[in-house]
Amino acid sequence: LFQTLGDHAAEALPNDYLALCLKDIDEGGYRVHLLAGAAVPDVAPRVFGPSEGLPGLSMSTGHPSVVDDLTVTRDGVPDLEGALAASGLRSTLTVPVRRGLEMLGALMFASRSATAYGADDVQIAGLMAAGLSSALESSRVYQALADEQSTFRAVLGSTGDAVLVVNQEGFIIMANPAVQPVLGLVPEAIIGRPLLDAVSYAPLRALFEQGLPGTVELALPGGRTAQVDLVAVTTGFGEYLRRMIAFCS
């Protein structure tokens, strides 16, 4: 995500230096992360205070900031704007990056030319910041879902009860390892297949075909009996699933 922004931002908004200043919640300030352009060694790797420098100004006010000459700005700090000016950069544009009312950080563009940024550039930078915010939110949601799914699969993998999940189209979308000792099914061989093709045992097929929620006893080959709970589930995305939990008695 950040690499893509660094590689292509100059196509829309010319710059000699681009940094993402992200809030550090634990430290109560922000850190500067170089995305494009030559590194400026004198930019401190420290956590800057929430109102320090031009990024801090944009984050605290919620407004973009344009500086035509870094050498005379009063809003900079020596180990950020001062270091940029000493490296030959002259003008900057910073825009806040927010999610709703929450401030996430700021994008900082810098150019070796004085008065490099105008009103159109401010608008373009704002659109970039909005796109970055959306991408960060999507990444956060996907990571949360991935973490939740990983935890769910770990729990399913450790239980001795057989769990089989079938979607509305009749395809098996999940089967935990316990389906093999309990039901005689191999998870890797049945996931992704229609249940009626993957399962040959007629009583189990009939259970899913009827689709009636509740608890029943299911006679298994070999004289064993399983207590089976058939549960209808609707996911957060409105997808209807049927989940079977079986354990031998």
Side-chain angles (χ1 to χ4, degrees), residues 68-150:
D68 292 332
D69 188 349
L70 274 176
T71 61
V72 297
T73 182
R74 298 180 179 180
D75 296 312
V77 290
D79 50 355
L80 179 51
E81 288 80 8
L84 296 178
S87 73
L89 295 166
R90 281 294 171 266
S91 56
T92 61
L93 164 59
T94 59
V95 291
V97 178
R98 67 183 67 158
R99 180 174 60 231
L101 298 177
E102 180 187 4
M103 192 62 65
L104 303 177
L107 281 174
M108 185 177 199
F109 302 82
S111 171
R112 296 189 180 280
S113 302
T115 63
Y117 300 112
D120 289 344
D121 299 312
V122 172
Q123 187 172 9
I124 293 171
L127 292 173
M128 287 186 185
L132 177 60
S133 175
S134 297
L136 287 171
E137 176 63 13
S138 296
S139 297
R140 184 188 68 82
V141 171
Y142 289 144
Q143 185 59 54
L145 289 173
D147 292 344
E148 182 178 328
Q149 186 178 56
S150 178

Side-chain angles (χ1 to χ4, degrees), residues 9-195:
E11 298 171 8
L13 187 58
N15 65 83
D16 298 300
Y17 176 92
L18 172 60
L20 174 61
C21 306
L22 279 179
K23 288 186 68 174
D24 188 312
I25 298 176
D26 295 332
E27 299 292 339
Y30 67 90
R31 293 182 182 273
V32 179
H33 305 274
L34 178 67
L35 296 182
V40 180
D42 291 334
V43 171
R46 68 180 177 92
V47 176
F48 290 87
S51 59
E52 278 192 292
L54 297 170
L57 177 65
S58 286
M59 283 186 273
S60 60
T61 64
H63 298 296
S65 170
V66 175
V67 172
D68 292 332
D69 188 349
L70 274 176
T71 61
V72 297
T73 182
R74 298 180 179 180
D75 296 312
V77 290
D79 50 355
L80 179 51
E81 288 80 8
L84 296 178
S87 73
L89 295 166
R90 281 294 171 266
S91 56
T92 61
L93 164 59
T94 59
V95 291
V97 178
R98 67 183 67 158
R99 180 174 60 231
L101 298 177
E102 180 187 4
M103 192 62 65
L104 303 177
L107 281 174
M108 185 177 199
F109 302 82
S111 171
R112 296 189 180 280
S113 302
T115 63
Y117 300 112
D120 289 344
D121 299 312
V122 172
Q123 187 172 9
I124 293 171
L127 292 173
M128 287 186 185
L132 177 60
S133 175
S134 297
L136 287 171
E137 176 63 13
S138 296
S139 297
R140 184 188 68 82
V141 171
Y142 289 144
Q143 185 59 54
L145 289 173
D147 292 344
E148 182 178 328
Q149 186 178 56
S150 178
T151 301
F152 181 56
R153 290 186 181 277
V155 171
L156 289 184
S158 63
T159 181
D161 297 339
V163 179
L164 199 62
V165 182
V166 178
N167 67 11
Q168 193 168 6
E169 288 72 34
F171 285 82
I172 299 171
I173 62 172
M174 186 177 294
N176 72 336
V179 301
Q180 187 160 4
V182 176
L183 301 174
L185 302 171
V186 179
E188 295 79 9
I190 64 174
I191 293 175
R193 296 176 59 193
L195 180 129

Side-chain angles (χ1 to χ4, degrees), residues 184-219:
L185 302 171
V186 179
E188 295 79 9
I190 64 174
I191 293 175
R193 296 176 59 193
L195 180 129
L196 297 182
D197 291 345
V199 176
S200 60
Y201 187 55
L204 182 57
R205 290 161 55 102
L207 185 66
F208 272 93
E209 284 181 315
Q210 294 167 6
L212 299 176
T215 302
V216 299
E217 285 193 354
L218 180 68

